[in-house]
Amino acid sequence: MKLSIAIASLAAAAAQAHYTFPSIGNSADWQYVRTTTNFQSNGPVTDVNSEQFRCYERNPGTSAPGIYSVAAGSTVAYNAKASISHPGPMAVYIAKVPAGQTAATWDGKGRVWSKIYQDRPTLGNTMTWPSNGVRSINVQIPRCLQNGDYLLRAEHVALHSAGSVGGAQYYISCAQITVTGGSGTYSPKNLVSFPGAYSATDPGVLINIYYPIPKSYTPPGPPVETC
C-alpha cells in the first residue's frame, strides 16, 4: 500500500512539472489553439518522427473554435498553462495556409514551416534558460508576412533527461491566426516539415546539460528567419 501511494505521488509530481500551451493573447484556453493530446495529462511528445510532433493535436482534423487576428509587426503572447518548469530552448514556427483553405481547416503538412523565434541559454557554471519559470513567450509576428491565415506553432524542448536518445521532451501546440497589414515580402530560406525537421540525435536534442556543463549550444531546427 505504501509503495502504491509513493508511486502515485511521484506520478502526480511529474504531471505537475509538465505544462501545455493552450492560449495566445488574452484569450481563453483552446479558443484559438487546437486542443492538444496532453490537455489533461500535460505530458510531452518524445518521438520526433511522430505525426503528433506537428501540432500534438488530440483530435486531428478538429480545429479550434476561432481564428485570432494579429497585425504584422506586432507582438503576441503565447501562453503556458503552469509555468515552463523544465530547462531547454523555446521556439516558435509559422506556416502560411494555402489558397482554398483556412487556419481552421488546414493540417500543416509539408515543408511549410519557418522559425520566427528562438531563445538561447546563458552559459557558465550552469546553463540558464530564459524561458525557465515563465508563463508566456512574447513573439513578434514578422512585419513582412503576406496577409492571410497561418498556423503558429509553439515548441519547448525540455532537456533535463536528454542525455540518452529519446530523452528530450517536447511541449507543442498550434494556434490559428490571421495576419493583417503585412508587406507581403516574407521569403523564408529554410522551410521545414514536422515531422522531419529534427533527428533524435541532433546535438541540441541529445545532450547532457548537467555534466560536463556544455560550453556551447545549438538549438534544433533551422535558423530564425528575418524580413
Side-chain angles (χ1 to χ4, degrees), residues 78-143:
Y78 212 126
N79 306 310
K81 188 156 191 175
S83 63
I84 300 173
S85 53
H86 291 312
M90 184 79 199
V92 178
Y93 291 81
I94 199 165
K96 181 74 169 65
V97 175
Q101 298 197 59
T102 71
T105 63
W106 187 47
D107 59 13
K109 290 183 179 178
R111 195 171 179 178
V112 292
W113 296 91
S114 57
K115 185 185 286 183
I116 61 170
Y117 175 91
Q118 177 74 71
D119 66 13
R120 293 175 181 273
T122 299
L123 300 171
N125 293 330
T126 62
M127 297 181 78
T128 304
W129 303 87
S131 59
N132 198 31
V134 307
R135 292 180 178 270
S136 66
I137 301 295
N138 292 319
V139 183
Q140 184 174 32
I141 304 301
R143 65 184 182 279

Side-chain angles (χ1 to χ4, degrees), residues 20 30 34-39 55-58 172-174:
T20 60
W30 315 117
R34 296 178 180 180
T35 303
T36 52
T37 300
N38 68 340
F39 83 109
C55 289
Y56 205 6
E57 292 180 53
R58 180 190 181 201
I172 299 166
S173 73
C174 289

Side-chain angles (χ1 to χ4, degrees), residues 22-24 27-36 57 59-68 78 102-106 151 174-177:
S23 68
I24 56 174
S27 64
D29 291 353
W30 315 117
Q31 182 178 0
Y32 301 108
V33 176
R34 296 178 180 180
T35 303
T36 52
E57 292 180 53
N59 296 306
T62 302
S63 65
I67 299 174
Y68 187 84
Y78 212 126
T102 71
T105 63
W106 187 47
L151 293 181
C174 289
Q176 301 170 174
I177 68 171

